Amino acid sequence: MYLTTVLGNLLIIILIRLDSHLHTPMYFLLSNLSFSDLCFSSVTVPKLLKNMQSQDPSISYAGCLTQMYFFLLFADLESFLLVAMAYDRYVAICFPLHYTFILSPRLCLSLVVLSWVLATFISLLHTLLTARLSFCADNVIPHFFCDLSALLKLACSDIQINEIVIFIVGGLVTIVPFLLIFSSYARIVSSILKVPSARGIRKAISTCGSHLSVVSLFYGTIIGLYLCPSVGNSTMKETVMAVMYTVVTPMLNPFIYSLRNQDIKGALKNIFTKWMMHFSLGQ
Ligand SMILES: *[C@@H]1O[C@H](CO)[C@@H](O)[C@H](O)[C@H]1NC(C)=O
């Protein structure tokens, strides 16, 4: 599954880089999302595989904090990029004639940079707050990577500040993006219903469908984790959910985007044809 994640996301990044038809804000954001998925999966899975292979499930203190930092960085980045992509779809459907003017390359770059800055700041905050805790005797992390909440359970100093920050910042980072995405889709739906036409609906579904699937997958896991009444063992449930969002979601994203997307399929066909011609001319 990790190989599929790496290859699938790399393919999306390479296709978007090579095909000039795909040099639009929507695909630049998608390429950034793929990059973020690739890194997000690489923060946890290789270490997990190495530990499984060597039968030695240990991690150094510095390694643990580093893993936590990058895990939070790419999780937050993913969340902010999904907002930027929802805004892109909102402008494309509600203001189609002003799309290239509103979503200029500069705005697109600013949205990406802003996502990086916010994600860096938030993950640094959590990591620094965790670094000041002391960990005593029993340092067995009940998880397969250095998860923030799993680490806090092990701390023997006061974790009240950490919990408050997690509650406020964590809440803002999930709820604000969710509301922004929800409101942009509410506007998309209301603008389609104003002038309902089969063509308009089909166009909206084809351009928003993949994004909406990715968003549902992302928030579905979060909602499943935090809002559903706990089923059985909570450590077990947390682990299953964590596998879901560290392994399965980053793997599915490139497929969700490419399977029904004519532009990506076209780009793939173009590259393939070029390579075939190159090889047959070379012989
Ligand atoms: C991310 O988006 C920016 C802004 O459009 C773009 O210039 C950059 O190439 C993208 N990065 C990746 C890895 O696709």
Side-chain angles (χ1 to χ4, degrees):
M1 287 170 91
Y2 179 63
L3 267 181
T4 315
T5 309
V6 171
L7 293 178
N9 284 300
L10 265 183
L11 185 66
I12 295 251
I13 296 173
I14 292 172
L15 279 182
I16 292 175
R17 179 96 342 154
L18 291 183
D19 196 313
S20 56
H21 300 295
L22 303 182
H23 290 179
T24 62
M26 179 176 140
Y27 289 109
F28 280 136
L29 291 174
L30 175 59
S31 161
N32 276 280
L33 188 76
S34 277
F35 177 72
S36 171
D37 270 333
L38 183 60
C39 297
F40 185 58
S41 208
S42 303
V43 171
T44 52
V45 180
K47 177 67 182 158
L48 169 71
L49 293 176
K50 183 174 162 276
N51 282 355
M52 279 162 77
Q53 202 252 339
S54 66
Q55 301 275 310
D56 167 31
S58 69
I59 188 165
S60 67
Y61 175 70
C64 192
L65 283 185
T66 313
Q67 190 182 47
M68 195 186 94
Y69 171 77
F70 284 106
F71 178 83
L72 293 172
L73 174 70
F74 291 113
D76 289 334
L77 185 62
E78 182 121 355
S79 168
F80 298 140
L81 286 175
L82 287 177
V83 177
M85 294 172 89
Y87 177 67
D88 166 79
R89 288 301 84 206
Y90 161 65
V91 175
I93 293 187
C94 297
F95 309 98
L97 299 180
H98 303 265
Y99 178 71
T100 42
F101 178 72
I102 300 178
L103 257 164
S104 58
R106 228 178 100 210
L107 179 66
C108 183
L109 188 63
S110 317
L111 288 174
V112 172
V113 171
L114 183 67
S115 306
W116 272 97
V117 171
L118 278 178
T120 306
F121 174 75
I122 292 167
S123 46
L124 201 58
L125 177 70
H126 285 306
T127 310
L128 291 180
L129 281 177
T130 310
R132 56 175 264 291
L133 299 175
S134 42
F135 296 93
C136 309
D138 181 24
N139 286 339
V140 180
I141 304 166
H143 216 306
F144 66 90
F145 65 94
C146 283
D147 183 46
L148 180 55
S149 61
L151 277 187
L152 289 187
K153 283 182 198 149
L154 294 183
C156 49
S157 40
D158 187 20
I159 58 167
Q160 205 180 358
I161 297 177
N162 299 60
E163 283 182 325
I164 295 171
V165 170
I166 290 173
F167 184 73
I168 296 173
V169 177
L172 286 179
V173 164
T174 44
I175 291 168
V176 172
F178 181 77
L179 290 180
L180 287 174
I181 293 172
F182 187 80
S183 66
S184 76
Y185 271 100
R187 287 182 183 203
I188 288 175
V189 169
S190 79
S191 102
I192 293 171
L193 290 183
K194 246 184 254 163
V195 201
S197 70
R199 211 177 129 254
I201 293 174
R202 211 176 312 123
K203 188 173 154 240
I205 289 176
S206 79
T207 61
C208 300
S210 354
H211 179 255
L212 206 54
S213 318
V214 171
V215 168
S216 318
L217 201 59
F218 187 78
Y219 284 100
T221 338
I222 295 179
I223 291 169
L225 182 57
Y226 293 105
L227 300 187
C228 285
S230 69
V231 188
N233 187 336
S234 80
T235 309
M236 181 65 194
K237 188 183 138 205
E238 269 172 34
T239 310
V240 170
M241 282 303 193
V243 170
M244 190 62 201
Y245 59 72
T246 54
V247 184
V248 181
T249 310
M251 182 183 75
L252 289 184
N253 282 354
F255 293 101
I256 293 178
Y257 269 100
S258 21
L259 284 183
R260 294 206 48 226
N261 188 311
Q262 296 308 321
D263 295 339
I264 299 251
K265 277 188 198 159
L268 195 59
K269 212 181 281 167
N270 276 347
I271 300 280
F272 200 66
T273 321
K274 262 186 209 157
W275 276 346
M276 293 307 272
M277 283 196 14
H278 186 79
F279 281 124
S280 53
L281 287 180
Q283 272 172 1

